[in-house]
Amino acid sequence: KKRQEMMKAQKEKQTAAGPGKGGAKKADSGMGNVQDARREMTKTKEQREEEKKISLSIRIKPLELDGMDSDGLKAKASELWEVIVKLETEKYDLEERQKRQDYDLKELKERQRQQNKQKAIKLGLDPEALTGKYPPQDPHVLKV
C-alpha cells in the first residue's frame, strides 16, 4: 500500500514534468523487471534522494503535539515507546532467526560433505574426491 502511494506520487511528478522523460510505458513484454532494474541503476543521486524523501514522507507520520496537555503528551510518549519496544523485539527475533538459519545451513553443508565422503569411499575413490567443488574426473574417459 505504501509502495503504491509512493509510485503514484512519482507518476504524478513525472506527468507534471512532461511526457519527454519516462512518459508513457510500452505494453509489458515480460521484461519489465529488467527494465525497472536498469532504470533504477541509471538514476542520479538527486533522483534517489527525492524518492527517499517521498518514501519517508509516506512512512513517517508527523507528530501533532500542538494543543496537547501534559496527559496527552504522556500518552503519546508511552504509545511511541510501545512502538519502539515492539520494533526492537521484532528486530531481535529476526536476528536470532537469521543466526539459527545460518547455523542450520552450516550443519547441512557439513552433513552433505560427510555423506559425499562416505559415498566416495564406497565407490573406491579418494574420500575427499566428492567433497570438492568439482566432480572427480572419470579415468575411463579419454581426452581428445
Side-chain angles (χ1 to χ4, degrees):
K1 186 177 179 182
K2 291 178 184 177
R3 178 139 175 90
Q4 289 173 350
E5 291 173 4
M6 190 174 79
M7 295 303 286
K8 182 179 176 185
Q10 282 181 338
K11 285 182 183 178
E12 289 172 2
K13 182 181 160 195
Q14 283 181 351
T15 54
K21 260 191 170 178
K25 261 190 172 181
K26 296 180 182 176
D28 190 20
S29 61
M31 296 293 283
N33 291 339
V34 173
Q35 290 173 348
D36 289 343
R38 191 170 288 144
R39 194 175 302 122
E40 191 71 33
M41 287 172 54
T42 58
K43 287 183 181 174
T44 63
K45 190 173 185 177
E46 292 83 21
Q47 288 172 325
R48 285 187 293 238
E49 287 294 323
E50 183 67 28
E51 284 182 6
K52 185 178 178 182
K53 285 180 185 176
I54 291 171
S55 67
L56 286 177
S57 69
I58 291 170
R59 290 180 186 164
I60 299 174
K61 300 169 191 142
L63 288 176
E64 298 169 8
L65 302 178
D66 297 337
M68 280 192 177
D69 58 346
S70 63
D71 292 335
L73 288 174
K74 286 180 183 177
K76 188 68 171 176
S78 64
E79 177 186 327
L80 291 174
W81 178 254
E82 292 297 321
V83 169
I84 290 171
V85 168
K86 179 183 159 217
L87 291 173
E88 286 291 329
T89 306
E90 285 181 22
K91 177 183 169 189
Y92 177 78
D93 291 342
L94 290 172
E95 286 173 349
E96 290 301 311
R97 181 177 167 203
Q98 178 71 33
K99 286 179 191 175
R100 191 171 57 248
Q101 286 178 345
D102 288 344
Y103 178 76
D104 291 344
L105 196 59
K106 244 188 248 183
E107 287 290 315
L108 288 172
K109 283 183 181 179
E110 180 61 27
R111 190 182 306 169
Q112 183 182 28
R113 197 175 73 76
Q114 291 294 332
Q115 286 176 345
N116 283 339
K117 216 178 215 184
Q118 293 299 320
K119 185 177 178 183
I121 291 172
K122 190 176 181 181
L123 293 174
L125 298 171
D126 178 38
E128 299 294 323
L130 296 177
T131 59
K133 188 174 182 181
Y134 303 105
Q137 290 183 352
D138 190 0
H140 303 293
V141 177
L142 295 175
K143 292 182 180 178
V144 179

